[in-house]
Amino acid sequence: CFLFCLAFIGVISVCEAKKKEEIETETDGYFRRYGSVVVVLMIKVWSIGWGYIAPLLADMQNHRTEERYNDSLTFMLAFVKVFVTLWNFVYVAFIKNWTSPTCGATMEKVTQRIWNNFTGYTAANRTLAELAMAALQEQRYTYESNEHVCAYGCYPVSPYAVTQEGGETNCYQILRYELVTFFFVHIVYTVIFLIFPMMKVKIDMWLELRKVQSMDDEKCPGGRGPTKAYSWLQWQAKCPQYEYASWGGSRVEDFLECAIGYALITCFGILFPSLCLFAFIGNMVEHRLLAYRMTHVTCRPFPRGASGIGSWTQVFEYISNIAVVVNVMLLVSVMYPIKSYDLKYKFLFFIVLEHALLGVRAALDQLIPDCPHDVKRIEDFNNHFIRTMVKFKELHVRPEEQYWKEFGRVDLGLSPGESLEPNCSDMQGTDWSDSEGSGCCADCRRAPSVRPL
């Protein structure tokens, strides 16, 4: 998992470095024009590819039980899938400022590039233009490179924003827009892949019934055979299995969708708090479709006992801890007023807030037990009652049915006391019967090898 993620970061970093180099030298190269498209394609290819690689790695580990196999597959898929999903948001929030500059020969050309309507502002109000360019330099939004003036990847969205306290940057707006877009696309994607298997099962059943009906119509003299009905066993045979990489879904894939949505909300929901309401509504629809798929589409799975959600508890715990760190980083580097502080104060705020929030979370985990005390007391009382109050009589076994020592007396007949010796009725139609068919061969009763099955 780590090597796969490191390879992913390496490929993306090379693309971004090439793009930055072409921008700073004002070269109209491939990465400058199509770098963003390449990054998006790499994210999708990496995510889809890992979905095929992870089961192979889990099979190579040769787990002794299915539970261990599912736990291994869960951690490998969740780690990489969540990382790849959050990468674009992490890039815009914390990396884009250093890898996607906007350069020009002069400051005025830079401002015209980052603000397309800057010329209109200049003609209308020259003072605003001068204040905006001065504010860009004072607030450390620009730097000089290769005899060019460059603006960092995150800059104020307008000249008005740069002259105001707490003005939003383009990175902040991109994060909110991409967060809303990705979340709704994620819900639509999930709903489509829930509806498709439902339609597929219905179409397969209809095609098979149509084929059988046409065959019966050809055999029937009147041209119309009796209408066929689909039995429950036939329907179960057409339903997809509840296993990984099948249209019937699986425990790993269903929980993985929940984990990705949970990671998006907890890590970046601070940028758009009202998104939580839409997430709640979307999850309600998604889970009702999951329930319908389990009862009407997926083949009936084998029932197994489970204590909780298993290894997914740890996955959600890890995501919660990561969300604390990401939220503090957003507060320090993206949101006003801490984003305007010096780097040393930002670092101090990050260390203090991150440790404080993780400490509060750890304290809440200790104060709120996994199993309530009253439930533990009830369970202890029930176990004590079973041990002391409920008495079972010793099972009485008749002497003729006790075969502790002499197994030669075991009754193998279909009914108690039935003899295992062959009789005439057993011999009818066999080579042991007489040739006339009127009686039994006298030697058949002496055949030691003949026993009824």
Side-chain angles (χ1 to χ4, degrees):
C1 297
F2 290 101
L3 294 178
F4 193 86
C5 292
L6 288 176
F8 173 77
I9 294 175
V11 173
I12 299 298
S13 299
V14 170
C15 295
E16 294 297 339
K18 291 290 185 181
K19 178 181 176 181
K20 179 182 179 183
E21 181 181 354
E22 293 178 357
I23 291 175
E24 289 181 345
T25 57
E26 295 188 349
T27 303
D28 189 17
Y30 177 82
F31 287 96
R32 184 177 182 178
R33 288 181 295 174
Y34 306 109
S36 300
V37 178
V38 171
V39 171
V40 173
L41 290 177
M42 291 301 300
I43 291 174
K44 294 297 183 183
V45 170
W46 240 255
S47 179
I48 296 174
W50 184 249
Y52 292 98
I53 295 175
L56 298 178
L57 295 178
D59 290 334
M60 294 172 61
Q61 293 174 354
N62 194 22
H63 296 282
R64 293 180 62 87
T65 62
E66 185 177 358
E67 182 180 2
R68 294 179 184 177
Y69 173 83
N70 289 331
D71 290 344
S72 176
L73 183 62
T74 294
F75 282 113
M76 286 192 292
L77 284 174
F79 181 84
V80 176
K81 291 275 190 176
V82 172
F83 176 82
V84 172
T85 301
L86 298 181
W87 170 257
N88 190 46
F89 303 99
V90 173
Y91 168 77
V92 175
F94 311 117
I95 303 176
K96 179 180 173 63
N97 189 49
W98 313 100
T99 60
S100 300
T102 303
C103 300
T106 62
M107 177 61 70
E108 186 172 353
K109 289 186 177 181
V110 172
T111 52
Q112 288 178 355
R113 288 181 179 177
I114 62 177
W115 301 320
N116 296 328
N117 54 356
F118 183 71
T119 305
Y121 285 114
T122 304
N125 194 340
R126 184 66 183 178
T127 303
L128 175 62
E130 294 175 353
L131 290 175
M133 288 187 288
L136 283 176
Q137 295 176 337
E138 292 176 0
Q139 299 180 17
R140 302 176 183 177
Y141 285 110
T142 59
Y143 67 98
E144 295 183 1
S145 175
N146 297 327
E147 298 181 356
H148 289 84
V149 179
C150 298
Y152 287 107
C154 296
Y155 49 81
V157 294
S158 68
Y160 288 108
V162 75
T163 58
Q164 297 175 355
E165 293 186 356
E168 291 186 355
T169 63
N170 64 320
C171 291
Y172 189 85
Q173 287 190 342
I174 292 174
L175 277 173
R176 288 196 302 181
Y177 174 76
E178 291 189 352
L179 179 65
V180 175
T181 303
F182 186 90
F183 187 81
F184 281 104
V185 170
H186 172 73
I187 293 178
V188 172
Y189 172 86
T190 304
V191 170
I192 289 175
F193 276 84
L194 287 175
I195 295 177
F196 180 79
M198 302 178 189
M199 299 175 60
K200 183 176 182 300
V201 171
K202 296 293 184 183
I203 293 175
D204 290 342
M205 292 172 57
W206 178 77
L207 290 176
E208 186 168 359
L209 283 173
R210 181 183 178 186
K211 179 180 178 181
V212 173
Q213 187 68 42
S214 62
M215 295 174 60
D216 291 345
D217 292 345
E218 293 177 357
K219 297 178 181 179
C220 186
R224 181 65 179 175
T227 303
K228 297 292 183 181
Y230 227 76
S231 68
W232 187 82
L233 289 178
Q234 291 173 327
W235 174 72
Q236 283 289 314
K238 285 297 179 185
C239 293
Q241 298 290 328
Y242 189 66
E243 59 186 8
Y244 182 76
S246 70
W247 287 112
S250 68
R251 185 167 180 261
V252 174
E253 292 171 308
D254 293 343
F255 271 98
L256 184 60
E257 298 298 328
C258 296
I260 292 175
Y262 177 74
L264 286 175
I265 293 297
T266 54
C267 291
F268 296 96
I270 189 175
L271 301 175
F272 193 52
S274 58
L275 185 64
C276 297
L277 177 61
F278 297 102
F280 174 73
I281 298 174
N283 284 327
M284 288 180 58
V285 175
E286 178 181 347
H287 282 80
R288 292 311 305 167
L289 288 174
L290 282 173
Y292 183 85
R293 186 199 67 187
M294 288 295 296
T295 55
H296 293 83
V297 177
T298 304
C299 182
R300 183 178 181 181
F302 187 81
R304 295 184 179 90
S307 57
I309 60 176
S311 57
W312 283 104
T313 302
Q314 299 181 14
V315 172
F316 284 103
E317 288 289 336
Y318 294 149
I319 293 176
S320 300
N321 290 329
I322 294 173
V324 172
V325 179
V326 173
N327 277 272
V328 175
M329 292 179 67
L330 289 173
L331 186 65
V332 170
S333 60
V334 177
M335 306 183 72
Y336 186 84
I338 303 179
K339 71 171 185 178
S340 60
Y341 293 176
D342 292 335
L343 184 61
K344 58 181 179 181
Y345 294 112
K346 288 183 179 181
F347 183 75
L348 179 62
F349 270 102
F350 172 76
I351 295 296
V352 173
L353 289 176
E354 183 258 348
H355 280 70
L357 292 178
L358 287 178
V360 171
R361 188 177 182 279
L364 291 175
D365 288 340
Q366 295 297 324
L367 292 175
I368 303 175
D370 295 334
C371 183
H373 296 293
D374 57 342
V375 176
K376 290 183 179 180
R377 290 195 299 269
I378 293 173
E379 184 177 358
D380 294 339
F381 176 81
N382 291 336
N383 293 332
H384 176 73
F385 179 81
I386 292 174
R387 289 194 306 267
T388 58
M389 302 301 294
V390 180
K391 299 295 184 180
F392 296 97
K393 294 182 179 181
E394 184 179 356
L395 181 62
H396 176 68
V397 182
R398 294 185 297 177
E400 59 271 17
E401 295 181 359
Q402 297 179 3
Y403 311 118
W404 313 122
K405 297 180 181 180
E406 300 180 8
F407 294 99
R409 297 189 300 107
V410 176
D411 190 357
L412 299 180
L414 297 179
S415 59
E418 181 183 6
S419 176
L420 297 182
E421 292 293 333
N423 51 40
C424 292
S425 61
D426 296 329
M427 298 299 104
Q428 293 295 332
T430 65
D431 295 336
W432 293 91
S433 61
D434 57 0
S435 58
E436 300 299 330
S438 59
C440 297
C441 177
D443 296 332
C444 69
R445 288 186 168 85
R446 295 191 297 270
S449 60
V450 176
R451 293 290 185 273
L453 298 179

